Amino acid sequence: MALTHDDVCRVARLARLRQDEAQAQSMLTELNRIFALMEQMQGVDTTLVEPMSHPRDVAQRLRADRVTESDRREQLLPLAPKSENGLYLVPKVIE
Amino acid sequence: MNWETVIGLEVHVQLSTHSKIFSGASTAFGAEPNAQACDIDVALPGVLPVLNAAAVDKAVRLGLAVGATINPRSIFARKNYFYPDLPKGYQISQYEIPVVQGGSIDILVGEQPKTVQLTRAHLEEDAGKSLHEDFHGMTGIDLNRAGTPLLEIVSEPDMRGAAEAVAYGKALHALVRWLDICDGNMQEGSFRMDANVSVRPAGVATLGTRCEIKNLNSFRFLERAIDYEVRRQIEVLTDGGTIRQETRLYDPDRDETRAMRSKEDAHDYRYFPDPDLLPLEIDEAYLAQVRSSMPELPAQKRERFTSEFGLSVYDANLLTGSREMADYFEQAAAGLGGQAFKLVANWIGGALSARLNDEGIEITASKVSPVALRALVERIVDGTISGKIARDVFDAMWSGEGQVDEIIERRGLRQISDSGALDKLVDEVIASNGSQVADYRSGKAKAFNALVGQVMKASKGKANPQQVNDILRRKLDTGV
Amino acid sequence: MFQLSIADLSQCLARRECSSVELARLFLERIRTLNPGLNAVITLDEERTLAAAAAADRRIAAGESGPLTGIPILHKDIFLAKGWRTTCGSRMLENFIAPYDAHVVEKLDAAGMVNLGKTNMDEFAMGSSNETSWFGPVRNPWRLSAVPGGSSGGSASAVAARLAPCATGTDTGGSIRQPAALTGICGLKPTYGVASRYGMIAFASSLDQAGPMAKTAQDLALMLNAMAGFDARDSTSLEREPEDYTRELTRPIKGLRIGLPKEFFAEGVQPAVTKAVEAAIAQYRALGAEIVEVSLPNMGLSIPVYYVLAPAEASSNLARFDGVRYGHRAAEYTDLTDMYERTRAEGFGAEVRRRIMIGTYVLSHGYYDAYYIKAQRVRRLIAADFAAAFERCDVIMGPTSPTTAFELGSRTDDPVQMYLCDIYTIAVNLAGLPGLSIPAGFDAAGLPVGLQLIGDYFSEARLLNVAHQFQLASDWHVTMPSSFAA
């Protein structure tokens, strides 16, 4: 199952990665070499095997419903490239 | 052509926890922007989510209340998309295996009962808010709401019109408040509805293409948005057009829906199990514990109000509109018997509701307590005051003039049931209203009521009306 | 002095033969003079370091010290250390000052360790040669034209050159063990969940694990004592009784059953590597160990499985780098989407972009089952192979890397060749097992060879015992690159 140029453009858009045509071309070549490697998996019979998401089979631990965090705005907002009036600023969002 | 409307609702219920679903930041409404967005909510590099037990508890409550299956093992997944109010670039939600599956909610459409099936209810985190006021052509992002726990309750496409959708929305709203899992504050966005609307020619079995109207935060908007959308779709189809599956927004100012521009891209959310969270396991012991701490549900209470208190279905429905109102009724009715229950119900549905409405306050803030209302009803039942006088007493109680008995005594409102005193009053009225007496005796029945009115007036309303009737008729008819 | 192990330095401090401030100055001076040729350390903050050393000296004076108090350490730049620049080897975080401490950093600070600085690494830990860093490649002190391995290549190179007694690392597919092998030091990847991931910038959440890098197995045990432990802020952190990882060091290994998987000695392994590993195993046999042949039939699939799962998780983990709340933002853009796309294209290097592309693709509509779910199923088969092998042996041994250190630039044009570097380490992460690499000799060119030890879940104390016993009987681990010995 080889990727197409369209696949590479679609995936780059989904991942929000700008690429020019030359980058798209070389990405396509590299990805197809990598995906050729992955084809090895397809020959393995896994019909009765459950997918494994975690290395250990344990259940989620729950946190008591307590407010433990205090106001961090003074520490965190200055990390932002652009902020004003306590808000993070981004190019206009159109709904 | 006749068209049938098909509606399914997705309701985002903000769960009333103290802290967020995956962080220890406060969920209190109205803080300074970003003052309640901690390291985890801002998605700093390296931070990790841990699930809030109270969010799980509240989801399970809803599940048990609607008779759903609680999955013994449910999975948190990442829904990946870029949006500035979504700090991680993904929303933690539940996808393939939600915590609550199935269940149903009974609604009344007018007088018609109907059951709406639920598909599922899943836990997820809320996003932040985009503030569109102009910051030099930019948008401001407030992440205080990011990470607030949501329960998304998804119905089957079981509703056939705006009225049913509104009835379902209201029933669900009442239920989540009843269960104390959501504050129900619609202005603050605690209960937000998305409506999936489609139309099809009557008699056709397959569903038409649907549009999703997002973020309706009042029942009025829900109704109007659906009505508009149904008209729009029918118009398009009648003109030979086709409906495009899309997400739309309702604009209350123009009373119309429009396609959302930001959602035009076909989405590919790339859901996968969140590797930072493990499967949520819920065992029988936990379910038993939640079950034992559940309040009596509205349906159970309605049933009991009709059987135990002899109330009509209408009254039982009214009184179970909210848990607070039902509690008020039960406290007011405690220790009473027979006819008194009906009286208490009437007072709550009548004078009390009117007052609450006028002043825009909740029943829990009522200025007449359930115990005080009970005392008032007791005085009506034992004949101390008439129902009419009781209205004045109620008003006086509402204005803080004191207890029932104090008011009756201070204002001298005790009903006159002493037949000697009433005889005297009746005699005086007969003596001074000769023409009306003559009218009555010549067969004009209406004159009798006027004479009763005169007696009541002379007693300043305190005469026992039944006795006045009896005495007056006896004296007029027999002269004794 | 710079040659001494943590255990020996600790003795010196206890006997007041040196102070922590003196140790800090010694290593800072070595970094100043020797690091320019290696590029292993990318951030220093002398003032903070010396303040921490002075505080450690006060603790020692007050008799409140532990075995790590006053010992200098370097942290891989994937760990947030409050007030320190934390870059993860990326332009995206070039100027990011961490506003909080990673759990591992917090614990090592609490033990009294003195943070010397932050080490270079492959960008977002994606690489096996340390050539993907925004801050330039790290060089191998054994041969400056060769790579140190990756992604914890800065930590490995620094410890090998004795710029610090020890360092932290992280291991997602071999990122502690492979650079340890290529630079002749020791590195341990604990069982998944033993050390908290809080404050460690995520690459692939279900595989990432922090671990110690040092000169001896004993030092790894001392460090792990401080690094391990339950953290309520990490849902995957395991709630276990704390253990002393040094407790078994002195246990004799007579009767130890060493499993040798035939798949570890397949084609493609450099003869010098095979030779060194076989010699090490012969030595174990001389110490009383038994050799058992085992098989890991699905191990060959670990690379394809890993290169589906790790990029999938990474593509999502790295979505938060969007130029909104912290990190790089493109200088010019026309609208929101343009801002995102330019910011991310500028902020991420080629290898990171490639893996985000792989991950996004395998999760996208229509490919999820064929790639992601399939890989998760095969992952379970790989884990089951290990479970079966551990029925028959106590520890699995083999090479850490199929080759010794390779030349800079020799594999950068072919991602697939680069990915094959981790053929022997990746399966351990997929299963979540502990793995350890220790020096076991040199090739003809004088480049180190690493021996890999893999144990069953939570067998770290045993693995360290097995490694320590080898080090009592060999001196590979005390040999250092001569040009850095002066």
Side-chain angles (χ1 to χ4, degrees):
Chain A
M1 193 161 26
L3 276 78
T4 63
H5 187 269
D6 278 358
D7 288 330
V8 169
C9 294
R10 175 180 62 86
V11 171
R13 267 199 308 278
L14 270 178
R16 298 289 186 274
L17 291 171
R18 177 65 47 87
Q19 57 182 6
D20 59 27
E21 183 50 33
Q23 286 172 317
Q25 284 297 344
S26 63
M27 185 67 82
L28 177 62
T29 313
E30 286 160 9
L31 291 189
N32 273 325
R33 277 181 28 217
I34 295 164
F35 277 88
L37 194 70
M38 292 173 190
E39 290 308 308
Q40 290 174 40
M41 291 190 311
Q42 306 304 341
V44 186
D45 181 5
T46 53
T47 35
L48 296 173
V49 186
E50 279 295 304
M52 177 174 169
S53 303
H54 289 281
R56 308 288 300 153
D57 190 15
V58 283
Q60 177 63 35
R61 183 164 25 82
L62 302 180
R63 178 177 64 77
D65 180 24
R66 277 197 300 271
V67 175
T68 54
E69 305 301 313
S70 46
D71 183 358
R72 289 276 281 161
R73 196 171 79 172
E74 293 307 307
Q75 290 77 43
L76 302 189
L77 205 63
L79 299 172
K82 268 202 167 65
S83 65
E84 193 176 308
N85 290 344
L87 298 165
Y88 296 97
L89 290 194
V90 297
K92 197 138 202 69
V93 174
I94 300 157
E95 287 203 318
Chain B
M1 196 187 312
N2 275 332
W3 296 91
E4 184 179 47
T5 305
V6 177
I7 301 162
L9 248 51
E10 293 171 18
V11 181
H12 290 88
V13 172
Q14 264 184 19
L15 298 175
S16 51
T17 55
H18 303 296
S19 63
K20 295 190 177 173
I21 185 167
F22 297 118
S23 84
S26 170
T27 55
F29 184 83
E32 285 291 298
N34 289 306
Q36 285 175 180
C38 72
D39 300 20
I40 294 168
D41 307 324
V42 167
L44 287 185
V47 299
L48 296 168
V50 183
L51 182 58
N52 183 341
V56 176
D57 180 87
K58 288 174 195 289
V60 169
R61 267 166 208 277
L62 185 278
L64 292 176
V66 298
T69 303
I70 309 296
N71 273 319
R73 197 166 191 272
S74 60
I75 305 291
F76 285 93
R78 293 183 180 178
K79 178 181 184 178
N80 294 285
Y81 64 97
F82 286 91
Y83 207 70
D85 65 12
L86 189 72
K88 295 188 291 296
Y90 57 85
Q91 178 195 30
I92 304 177
S93 181
Q94 296 192 301
Y95 184 54
E96 281 178 342
I97 312 178
V99 60
V100 173
Q101 216 149 18
S104 63
I105 288 182
D106 293 329
I107 60 171
L108 270 181
V109 189
E111 301 285 296
Q112 271 312 100
K114 175 173 176 124
T115 299
V116 175
Q117 298 296 327
L118 301 184
T119 315
R120 58 188 272 157
H122 63 256
L123 283 164
E124 63 184 26
E125 58 181 341
D126 210 341
K129 277 184 183 162
S130 302
L131 301 163
H132 300 295
E133 299 98 81
D134 205 19
F135 295 96
H136 334 290
M138 305 196 94
T139 292
I141 305 292
D142 173 9
L143 297 175
N144 280 350
R145 199 181 64 181
T148 300
L150 294 178
L151 188 64
E152 180 174 336
I153 303 164
V154 183
S155 84
E156 291 288 307
D158 281 358
M159 288 151 279
R160 292 291 171 270
E164 290 188 6
V166 168
Y168 166 76
K170 285 184 171 171
L172 185 59
H173 183 255
L175 179 62
V176 296
R177 293 189 60 205
W178 186 282
L179 295 169
D180 196 22
I181 65 174
C182 170
D183 67 16
N185 191 324
M186 297 179 80
Q187 286 82 48
E188 291 176 8
S190 298
F191 189 92
R192 312 194 293 269
M193 297 167 284
D194 300 342
N196 285 305
V197 180
S198 65
V199 298
R200 62 183 169 192
V204 170
T206 52
L207 290 172
T209 305
R210 68 188 156 87
C211 289
E212 184 181 14
I213 315 169
K214 276 230 167 292
N215 261 328
L216 297 159
N217 64 355
S218 86
F219 297 119
R220 204 167 65 94
F221 291 168
L222 173 68
E223 184 172 24
R224 297 176 68 167
I226 291 172
D227 282 342
Y228 173 86
E229 182 60 19
V230 168
R231 278 199 310 275
R232 184 187 74 83
Q233 291 188 16
I234 291 174
E235 236 169 73
V236 169
L237 293 170
T238 308
D239 291 350
T242 51
I243 302 298
R244 208 158 66 107
Q245 185 166 339
E246 63 192 359
T247 307
R248 300 177 69 86
L249 276 183
Y250 175 69
D251 180 344
D253 297 330
R254 311 171 75 147
D255 190 25
E256 61 182 34
T257 67
R258 62 169 171 87
M260 273 178 88
R261 280 203 270 170
S262 58
K263 299 269 178 179
E264 270 172 13
D265 295 341
H267 272 300
D268 186 343
Y269 290 124
R270 290 158 283 138
Y271 283 99
F272 75 107
D274 190 332
D276 288 332
L277 291 160
L278 299 159
L280 170 62
E281 290 185 1
I282 293 173
D283 60 17
E284 267 309 314
Y286 176 82
L287 285 183
Q289 184 204 317
V290 177
R291 221 176 256 125
S292 70
S293 68
M294 294 270 286
E296 188 182 17
L297 296 173
Q300 297 164 326
K301 243 188 220 303
R302 272 197 290 277
E303 170 60 30
R304 194 162 57 78
F305 282 8
T306 52
S307 60
E308 190 177 311
F309 298 116
L311 296 181
S312 66
V313 173
Y314 176 85
D315 283 342
N317 250 321
L318 178 93
L319 292 172
T320 54
S322 77
R323 195 159 139 199
E324 291 75 17
M325 191 182 288
D327 287 348
Y328 188 101
F329 169 76
E330 292 200 77
Q331 285 166 36
L336 297 176
Q339 269 304 104
F341 297 133
K342 172 69 184 158
L343 273 176
V344 173
N346 288 350
W347 275 93
I348 293 174
L352 180 72
S353 292
R355 280 293 198 164
L356 295 174
N357 264 334
D358 287 349
E359 301 192 12
I361 56 176
E362 298 294 318
I363 197 163
T364 46
S366 168
K367 293 174 184 167
V368 171
S369 72
V371 176
L373 183 69
R374 180 169 67 216
L376 180 69
V377 168
E378 277 170 342
R379 290 298 163 266
I380 300 167
V381 173
D382 69 13
T384 306
I385 50 173
S386 67
K388 193 164 178 301
I389 289 288
R391 277 303 291 255
D392 298 336
V393 176
F394 179 86
D395 288 345
M397 288 162 74
W398 189 271
S399 327
E401 285 178 33
Q403 302 294 309
V404 176
D405 289 341
E406 286 173 49
I407 294 167
I408 294 172
E409 289 313 314
R410 189 170 343 112
R411 295 199 176 178
L413 298 176
R414 190 174 284 277
Q415 183 161 263
I416 304 168
S417 304
D418 168 30
S419 51
L422 290 178
D423 268 359
K424 200 164 153 267
L425 275 174
V426 171
D427 286 342
E428 281 166 20
V429 166
I430 289 175
S432 55
N433 290 279
S435 67
Q436 278 166 334
V437 172
D439 283 353
Y440 173 76
R441 287 191 170 138
S442 67
K444 289 184 181 160
K446 267 172 78 177
F448 182 79
N449 291 339
L451 289 165
V452 170
Q454 291 293 332
V455 177
M456 293 305 293
K457 195 174 163 192
S459 75
K460 299 196 174 79
K462 291 182 287 182
N464 181 323
Q466 192 54 49
Q467 272 180 293
V468 169
N469 260 280
D470 293 348
I471 294 169
L472 186 64
R473 196 172 296 278
R474 192 189 74 225
K475 284 188 186 279
L476 290 172
D477 291 356
T478 66
V480 187
Chain C
M1 187 69 97
F2 59 78
Q3 296 258 37
L4 296 182
S5 67
I6 294 176
D8 292 338
L9 289 171
S10 195
Q11 293 288 323
C12 292
L13 287 165
R15 291 197 296 261
R16 309 291 198 272
E17 291 165 15
C18 67
S19 71
S20 174
V21 169
E22 282 163 8
L23 282 184
R25 285 192 197 285
L26 167 72
F27 285 106
L28 285 173
E29 182 55 31
R30 283 186 68 77
I31 292 169
R32 245 189 316 269
T33 53
L34 299 171
N35 185 58
L38 295 171
N39 196 27
V41 181
I42 51 174
T43 303
L44 290 173
D45 186 337
E46 202 169 305
E47 215 169 294
R48 269 172 201 277
T49 299
L50 293 175
D57 280 332
R58 286 193 295 276
R59 269 178 73 171
I60 294 167
E64 290 164 358
S65 58
L68 298 176
T69 308
I71 307 290
I73 186 171
L74 285 165
H75 287 300
K76 184 177 182 180
D77 210 18
I78 199 168
F79 292 101
L80 276 79
K82 194 175 173 180
W84 290 78
R85 184 177 76 142
T86 301
T87 69
C88 221
S90 180
R91 182 183 184 193
M92 191 60 96
L93 293 175
E94 190 171 6
N95 300 306
F96 178 71
I97 306 296
Y100 74 97
D101 273 327
H103 187 250
V104 161
V105 170
E106 197 175 87
K107 291 202 70 168
L108 292 170
D109 280 354
M113 294 206 92
V114 175
N115 185 354
L116 280 177
K118 309 295 289 291
T119 60
N120 204 348
M121 55 182 284
D122 277 304
E123 185 179 8
F124 285 101
M126 298 176 188
S128 308
S129 65
N130 226 302
E131 292 169 288
T132 72
S133 171
W134 168 248
F135 300 93
V138 177
R139 289 167 188 274
N140 192 321
W142 294 93
R143 186 200 282 165
L144 293 176
S145 61
V147 303
S151 66
S152 310
S155 290
S157 173
V159 173
R162 312 305 193 238
L163 304 189
C166 60
T168 50
T170 62
D171 191 317
T172 303
S175 282
I176 286 176
R177 291 160 290 156
Q178 185 254 16
L182 268 47
T183 58
I185 65 162
C186 305
L188 169 67
K189 182 205 97 75
T191 304
Y192 182 85
V194 160
S196 167
R197 292 185 297 114
Y198 198 85
M200 184 175 119
I201 299 174
F203 161 16
S205 311
S206 79
L207 303 164
D208 297 341
Q209 185 59 202
M213 302 176 83
K215 296 188 290 288
T216 69
Q218 184 183 22
D219 285 0
L220 297 182
L222 289 169
M223 288 174 74
L224 188 59
N225 274 350
M227 292 173 75
F230 174 66
D231 180 8
R233 295 170 302 180
D234 175 359
S235 295
T236 61
S237 168
L238 297 167
E239 259 175 305
R240 303 177 69 246
E241 283 296 304
E243 51 177 302
D244 175 6
Y245 293 100
T246 65
R247 71 182 188 278
E248 293 197 36
L249 288 178
T250 56
R251 175 178 163 184
I253 55 167
K254 192 165 170 20
L256 176 80
R257 294 172 304 164
I258 297 174
L260 297 184
K262 55 176 182 289
E263 295 81 6
F264 275 26
F265 300 88
E267 275 175 67
V269 186
Q270 277 177 359
V273 170
T274 309
K275 204 174 138 213
V277 168
E278 279 171 354
I281 288 161
Q283 186 145 14
Y284 271 112
R285 207 196 294 257
L287 292 169
E290 295 167 19
I291 305 302
V292 188
E293 197 173 302
V294 295
S295 178
L296 302 169
N298 292 293
M299 209 203 59
L301 295 166
S302 59
I303 290 206
V305 168
Y306 178 86
Y307 280 96
V308 170
L309 298 182
E313 293 183 14
S315 69
S316 176
N317 284 334
L318 269 55
R320 69 187 58 198
F321 300 100
D322 60 3
V324 176
R325 297 161 316 285
Y326 46 78
H328 179 73
R329 181 189 282 197
E332 282 176 30
Y333 40 82
T334 55
D335 59 18
L336 181 65
T337 303
D338 193 45
M339 189 279 276
Y340 281 149
E341 291 188 348
R342 284 176 190 273
T343 294
R344 290 167 58 79
E346 291 171 9
F348 294 135
E351 181 60 23
V352 173
R353 291 202 304 273
R354 192 178 295 133
R355 298 214 197 174
I356 291 174
M357 291 287 290
I358 298 170
T360 304
Y361 181 75
V362 298
L363 290 176
S364 69
H365 187 71
Y367 302 96
Y368 179 74
D369 287 338
Y371 288 110
Y372 185 78
I373 292 294
K374 181 76 185 183
Q376 282 205 333
R377 292 186 203 276
V378 180
R379 180 181 188 178
R380 191 173 292 281
L381 294 178
I382 292 168
D385 285 352
F386 279 109
F390 285 121
E391 301 265 309
R392 307 186 50 226
C393 66
D394 305 308
V395 57
I396 290 172
M397 286 191 196
T400 306
S401 159
T403 68
T404 53
F406 46 90
E407 291 295 294
L408 271 149
S410 64
R411 298 193 186 189
T412 39
D413 290 342
D414 185 352
V416 171
Q417 276 309 305
M418 191 66 91
Y419 296 172
L420 291 171
C421 292
D422 296 325
I423 178 110
Y424 298 130
T425 47
I426 279 177
V428 171
N429 299 78
L430 292 171
L433 294 165
L436 175 55
S437 182
I438 54 174
F442 295 90
D443 68 7
L447 293 170
V449 174
L451 172 72
Q452 185 174 213
L453 287 65
I454 303 165
D456 207 347
Y457 298 107
F458 310 117
S459 66
E460 286 83 355
R462 190 73 208 273
L463 283 180
L464 289 162
N465 155 240
V466 173
H468 181 67
Q469 291 300 313
F470 180 78
Q471 295 188 330
L472 289 178
S474 65
D475 59 3
W476 306 118
H477 62 290
V478 295
T479 316
M480 72 168 286
S482 53
S483 50
F484 291 83

